[in-house]
Amino acid sequence: QVQLVESGGGLVQPGGSLRLSCAASGRTTFSRYAMGWFRQAPGKERAFVAAISGSGGRTSYAGSVKGRFTISRDNAKNTVFLQMNSLKPEDTAVYYCAADRRDRGTPDFLYEYDYWGQGTQVTVSS
């Protein structure tokens, strides 16, 4: 089993920035795992945010965050990041980190991921 632990969430004003981190531990060769970020707002389905291939060579973003969010990874530290800039109230959600052990590249469907973190709350409000 692989464990994923998110951190970096919190309360931020509109237009502000946050950087989320997700640290992987357990039985994993981290560089072989594609990684993704999803979010779930109250009353809504869990939605794709961003993904990155195992090597970090390819990334993908949801249209709603493209140009504002950046996904990156540090394989030496078994960590994936989500830099969130120009935050909007509609970005408020629980953000989840996920791992695809088969490295599908930049998977954007929930079923393509094998492991999930516990989530971290991001609230964008004045």
Side-chain angles (χ1 to χ4, degrees), residues 30-111:
F30 187 71
S31 63
R32 296 181 181 178
Y33 287 19
M35 300 294 296
W37 288 96
F38 292 76
R39 65 187 182 185
Q40 187 167 20
K44 296 184 178 180
E45 298 292 323
R46 191 170 299 187
F48 171 77
V49 175
I52 187 168
S53 61
S55 68
R58 301 187 300 278
T59 58
S60 181
Y61 299 91
S64 59
V65 307
K66 191 174 184 179
R68 298 189 297 121
F69 291 10
T70 302
I71 188 170
S72 62
R73 65 193 296 158
D74 186 342
N75 286 340
K77 297 180 179 179
N78 289 354
T79 303
V80 64
F81 305 96
L82 185 67
Q83 178 67 46
M84 305 185 293
N85 298 327
S86 302
L87 283 162
K88 304 174 181 179
E90 51 263 45
D91 295 318
T92 296
V94 176
Y95 283 71
Y96 297 90
C97 174
D100 162 30
R101 64 182 177 178
R102 298 183 180 181
D103 192 3
R104 305 169 201 265
T106 54
D108 56 1
F109 294 101
L110 274 69
Y111 71 83

